[in-house]
Amino acid sequence: MAKEGNYTGPAKWLHWGMALIWLAAWVIGIVATHWRDEFNAHHELTFLHKAMASTLLFLIVARIAWRLSHPAPALPDSMSPMMKRGAYVGHLLLYAVALIGLPLSGWYWSSVADKPIMVAALFALPPLVDPDQSLYDLAKAIHTYTAWLCGALIGGHVLVALKHHFVEKDEVLKGMLPGRGN
Ligand code: HEM
Ligand code: HEM
């Protein structure tokens, strides 16, 4: 049983593990695309990007199952009902867009392009749809724009977490940090 105001141990492991994979995949995706000649001449970064990011599709199943059976700790009373609602909607968006929609859009893009995805470099993900070159540009635009939108979402998420800790001086960030009575 987690201490009051604290996320459970598995929720923390899933949050920080997936955050690390997500942030690394985001940076690698940008370097792979925009510094192709310098760092991605043989698609090695594209392979790494897809191998890492595709694991999120499996981890998210465990995370949602855990979250549904283990509610998040209550937010501090110092937050107005509107701020609490904002936090709820923000987290819902992170789940739906950053952790589900974005990997799905990458899977869709690789499927229409007829390119393999090796999950954690271990096994191939089956195609989501049949290959169709006429959808390539659309799929690429969806993944790229969603990725940049998510960069902004995550940036906001991190700033809000830091504001809780350093400005409001409440327990919100501490409740997600390791080693606090879980
Ligand atoms: C199944 C999962 C995913 C697949 C198959 C996939 C696939 C791809 C591919 C093929 C590229 C182009 C790389 C290149 O041109 O060499 C790309 C770019 C990119 N991906 Fe993903 N992706 C996935 C998940 C993600 C996730 C979870 C993120 C965010 C963490 C992400 C962020 C990006 C970014 C930022 C770019 C560069 C966009 C640009 O500025 O052009 N992708 N992805
Ligand atoms: C340095 C980076 C990060 C920090 C400091 C951080 C901090 C936090 C904190 C303090 C909470 C719980 C408190 C709250 O806001 O209610 C939280 C929840 C959450 N974070 Fe992060 N986070 C980071 C990165 C990420 C990333 C990269 C993602 C996803 C791609 C993410 C997704 C989420 C989600 C979905 C929740 C809601 C958890 C739930 O209640 O089910 N976070 N984060």
Side-chain angles (χ1 to χ4, degrees), residues 6-7 12 16 165 172-180 182:
N6 208 22
Y7 279 89
K12 292 179 184 180
W16 291 112
H165 193 67
V172 169
L173 179 58
K174 283 189 199 141
M176 188 52 104
L177 292 179
R180 189 166 165 268
N182 52 58

Side-chain angles (χ1 to χ4, degrees), residues 7 12 15 22 70 84 94 96 103 107 118 123 130 132 136 171 181-182:
Y7 279 89
K12 292 179 184 180
H15 175 269
W22 197 98
H70 299 79
K84 288 184 180 175
L94 287 176
W107 188 3
M118 294 301 292
F123 61 93
D130 289 337
D132 184 348
Y136 182 92
E171 302 284 293
N182 52 58

Side-chain angles (χ1 to χ4, degrees), residues 143-154:
H143 189 62
T144 304
Y145 284 116
T146 312
W148 283 100
L149 170 76
C150 286
L153 265 181
I154 294 294

Side-chain angles (χ1 to χ4, degrees), residues 88-161:
Y88 178 77
V89 172
H91 290 164
L92 218 57
L93 275 177
L94 287 176
Y95 277 113
V97 187
L99 291 172
I100 300 174
L102 186 56
L104 272 183
S105 73
W107 188 3
Y108 177 72
W109 180 13
S110 287
S111 303
V112 300
D114 202 12
K115 295 271 166 51
I117 302 171
M118 294 301 292
V119 181
L122 287 176
F123 61 93
L125 207 60
L128 194 57
V129 293
D130 289 337
D132 184 348
Q133 286 300 329
S134 70
L135 291 172
Y136 182 92
D137 287 341
L138 175 69
K140 176 180 176 175
I142 294 174
H143 189 62
T144 304
Y145 284 116
T146 312
W148 283 100
L149 170 76
C150 286
L153 265 181
I154 294 294
H157 174 64
V158 174
L159 285 179
V160 170

